[in-house]
Amino acid sequence: MSKSEKIAVLWTSGDKEVAEKVVLMYTQGAKMQRWFDDVVLVVWGPSTKLLASDDSLQEKVKGLMEAGVKVQACSVCAGEYGVTRELEKLGIEVIPMGQPLTGYLKEDWKVLSF
């Protein structure tokens, strides 16, 4: 039996071009092309503010979620930027991310950050 290949994409950049041309594009490819069995997108830091305020990025993230990408956002960051409600309305799991990210790092996950 082969082990499951898993990736957590850590999105921290507040730059829209990085979001569109790198983070979301790679995350979509990782899921749709089945490069990994499990794909998680972690929204952390300035990316929480960017995502909450940008309709086109929200649509792309919704599409990722519909394709089966698990999306989580840092509740501390979302709270600091005042965007918790906006992210929750998108269906994103807004939680304290320190422990989950530590788990991804310690377990058998690849972690890629932008």
Side-chain angles (χ1 to χ4, degrees):
M1 181 186 316
S2 66
K3 67 179 182 172
S4 176
E5 293 193 359
K6 304 174 277 196
I7 188 165
V9 178
L10 180 59
W11 174 22
T12 63
S13 174
D15 184 311
K16 182 173 180 172
E17 189 172 10
V18 170
E20 289 179 328
K21 305 298 183 200
V22 185
V23 179
L24 301 179
M25 188 181 295
Y26 181 82
T27 303
Q28 180 180 16
K31 185 63 179 178
M32 304 305 285
Q33 300 299 319
R34 297 187 175 123
W35 297 332
F36 292 88
D37 300 310
D38 296 314
V39 180
V40 174
L41 176 64
V42 178
V43 185
W44 195 322
S47 64
T48 58
K49 181 180 177 184
L50 176 62
L51 179 58
S53 65
D54 191 294
D55 292 340
S56 67
L57 293 178
Q58 290 173 13
E59 288 304 312
K60 290 178 182 182
V61 169
K62 285 180 193 174
L64 291 174
M65 293 168 65
E66 289 169 5
V69 173
K70 180 177 182 178
V71 180
Q72 299 174 309
C74 173
S75 62
V76 175
C77 301
E80 287 179 358
Y81 288 114
V83 297
T84 301
R85 186 163 305 189
E86 290 87 343
L87 297 177
E88 288 175 339
K89 283 181 189 175
L90 297 171
I92 295 172
E93 181 182 16
V94 181
I95 60 173
M97 281 305 306
Q99 188 171 6
L101 178 60
T102 300
Y104 296 142
L105 292 167
K106 288 184 171 185
E107 295 168 13
D108 209 14
W109 288 75
K110 306 286 189 234
V111 178
L112 181 62
S113 63
F114 297 101

